[in-house]
Amino acid sequence: MFPQSANVYDSLGEAYFNKKEYQVSIDHYKKAISLGGSNGNAEKMIEKIEKEIKFSNQNFTQKIPVKPGF
């Protein structure tokens, strides 16, 4: 439909973020940036996703400790 529209990719990034499909979301936000940006929204969302991924990874390892030799 609008393959060169930064807004389309920004919106796709948001949709995938809401589904917690973070890597796909980041890919769409990066495409939005490459097409002319999204008034800073894509950059902010990428930062937010990276923080969420980091938090999730820390939270996961705290809940399920791995025992040596297991």
Side-chain angles (χ1 to χ4, degrees):
M1 288 192 205
F2 299 97
Q4 298 304 313
S5 170
N7 187 50
V8 169
Y9 287 98
D10 186 73
S11 295
L12 283 169
E14 182 179 355
Y16 282 106
F17 172 78
N18 290 332
K19 292 179 66 178
K20 298 187 184 328
E21 294 186 31
Y22 297 131
Q23 188 56 56
V24 179
S25 178
I26 288 172
D27 292 342
H28 286 299
Y29 281 126
K30 286 182 178 180
K31 181 68 174 182
I33 293 167
S34 75
L35 291 172
S38 60
N39 296 325
N41 181 63
E43 292 87 350
K44 289 177 188 174
M45 288 304 296
I46 289 172
E47 287 180 28
K48 182 176 181 176
I49 292 166
E50 288 172 346
K51 287 178 185 177
E52 179 66 28
I53 290 170
K54 185 176 179 181
F55 175 77
S56 294
N57 289 339
Q58 288 175 348
N59 199 23
F60 179 75
T61 57
Q62 290 174 358
K63 289 183 179 178
I64 306 173
V66 177
K67 295 180 181 180
F70 182 73

